[in-house]
Amino acid sequence: MSDKNSFMVFSGTNTRYLAEKICQSLACPLGNLLITKFSDGEFAVSYEESIRGRDVFLVQSTFPNSDNLMELLLMIDAAKRASAKSINAVIPYFGWARQDRKDKPRVSIGAKLVADLLGVAGIDRLITMDLHADQIQGFFDVPVDHLYASGVILPYLQSLKLDDIVIASPDVGGSKRANTYAKYLGCPLVLCNKTRARANVVESMQIIGDVKGKNVVIIDDMVDTAGTITKAADIMKNAGAKSVRACASHCVMSGPASERVQDSALEEIVFTDSIPYSSRCAKVKQLSVADMFAETIRRVLDNESISSQYLV
């Protein structure tokens, strides 16, 4: 691997827990960054050590609130002005990604706006995981290394040694992702067809496929209010499923999500640690993606292939 003195890893406030694990895996120290907060909510970023001529990796998920995104933008700007050799944004959870197209008149495309902000701020590369829509990679004019949570979720599913396993997608939009899991595990695929009354509110849902006597695993990219995934689990359990569990990349889990999961038919719900989860819910399990991101950073520094570490 490249000389440890040639690169440095820094973290924003709310993703420090993951950056520390990434640094542990890379056997390097976490860089010293100071974020000064003013009484009106504004804040300033300063690097407390020289980064001139270094490859800098900035670890920060852009989950709500917007301070996380603003922190990252200021970190990028400060690194650019401090003469960093390259600025690599490591964004395990890329927020605002659900706004990836105009799905009705007069709406913003938030994902493109954030891509533009990061580009103008001065990133040379983006390393992220399980974007809400793959085409968001094309919103950037810099290289994008798009990782997949399947690298940690699939080995976990295999370790459960479940018989009669069925992979399910909670909506038609996620069928491609779920189909990839089903192919890898060599098992059937079941779809849920849902209609929404409005954002975060599911009106009705039907199962397409057979779940009777099966151990069902619902695959999704994120769980926000958990309305869709818990409704799907309850319907599948009523349809005769032996067990229902869910796996998702990003643990957004906002509002009543934890209570919904606890009260649902789900045996467990498995996430990565791309977003911190502080609520207490016995059914939630988090798998770390720190080693996966650390390995990607190693390969970027050594100019090696990233794709060879993908399972699917």
Side-chain angles (χ1 to χ4, degrees):
M1 186 178 140
S2 294
D3 175 21
K4 283 179 190 171
N5 295 323
S6 71
F7 75 97
M8 299 178 84
V9 180
F10 293 90
S11 167
T13 306
N14 290 326
T15 314
R16 190 179 176 91
Y17 70 97
L18 184 57
E20 285 172 348
K21 288 189 223 170
I22 290 171
C23 286
Q24 200 174 350
S25 186
L26 287 167
C28 72
L30 181 62
N32 193 6
L33 180 79
L34 180 66
I35 297 173
T36 308
K37 294 193 180 291
F38 302 103
S39 61
D40 64 350
E42 195 176 308
F43 46 87
V45 167
S46 64
Y47 292 92
E48 297 296 286
E49 51 192 311
S50 174
I51 59 172
R52 184 179 293 272
R54 304 288 184 89
D55 293 305
V56 173
F57 292 84
L58 307 177
V59 183
Q60 179 80 315
S61 285
T62 56
F63 54 94
N65 60 35
S66 301
D67 282 3
N68 293 303
L69 173 60
M70 195 64 201
E71 250 185 38
L72 177 60
L73 291 169
L74 290 172
M75 286 160 66
I76 295 163
D77 185 68
K80 182 172 69 176
R81 296 175 191 280
S83 303
K85 181 183 175 185
S86 71
I87 303 167
N88 306 273
V90 181
I91 308 179
Y93 171 68
F94 185 88
W96 311 90
R98 280 172 280 190
Q99 303 170 48
D100 61 344
R101 67 196 186 284
K102 280 188 75 173
D103 54 354
K104 61 181 183 181
R106 299 174 296 281
V107 294
S108 60
I109 303 179
K112 173 63 173 139
L113 175 62
V114 171
D116 288 346
L117 288 169
L118 292 167
V120 169
I123 65 167
D124 296 295
R125 175 182 296 273
L126 170 67
I127 303 173
T128 188
M129 181 181 76
D130 278 351
L131 289 165
H132 189 63
D134 286 350
Q135 69 265 22
I136 292 170
Q137 295 172 66
F139 293 174
F140 289 87
D141 293 325
V142 297
V144 176
D145 294 318
H146 188 210
L147 310 183
Y148 298 99
S150 54
V152 294
I153 292 174
L154 278 168
Y156 175 75
L157 288 177
Q158 288 174 310
S159 74
L160 296 175
K161 295 183 167 57
L162 296 170
D163 297 324
D164 298 321
I165 190 171
V166 166
I167 296 293
S169 173
D171 52 36
V172 177
S175 58
K176 185 183 172 189
R177 180 182 295 104
N179 188 46
T180 306
Y181 277 73
K183 270 187 180 174
Y184 185 84
L185 296 170
C187 65
L189 175 69
V190 168
L191 296 178
C192 295
N193 183 36
K194 71 177 179 186
T195 54
R196 283 196 187 275
R198 59 184 184 278
N200 291 134
V201 179
V202 177
E203 191 169 40
S204 65
M205 184 179 284
Q206 304 86 33
I207 304 170
I208 305 167
D210 181 28
V211 296
K212 193 169 184 181
K214 308 287 188 185
N215 289 304
V216 181
V217 180
I218 304 169
I219 302 293
D220 210 351
D221 68 319
M222 69 170 74
V223 174
D224 188 352
T225 60
T228 300
I229 218 149
T230 52
K231 191 179 182 79
D234 294 344
I235 289 170
M236 286 172 183
K237 196 71 174 171
N238 292 337
K242 197 190 295 183
S243 72
V244 186
R245 48 178 44 79
C247 297
S249 310
H250 306 298
C251 182
V252 180
M253 294 289 279
S254 61
S258 295
E259 291 76 19
R260 282 177 176 169
V261 167
Q262 193 63 48
D263 298 340
S264 73
L266 286 167
E267 301 260 323
E268 66 174 349
I269 185 162
V270 180
F271 295 104
T272 73
D273 57 352
S274 62
I275 299 176
Y277 178 69
S278 54
S279 302
R280 291 283 168 263
C281 177
K283 292 184 178 182
V284 171
K285 179 181 180 67
Q286 282 189 295
L287 307 172
S288 184
V289 288
D291 289 344
M292 185 168 74
F293 276 94
E295 180 61 23
T296 302
I297 290 171
R298 274 195 202 99
R299 293 182 184 214
V300 165
L301 290 166
D302 293 340
N303 298 310
E304 292 178 8
S305 165
I306 305 293
S307 60
S308 58
Q309 71 173 316
Y310 298 160
L311 283 179
V312 289

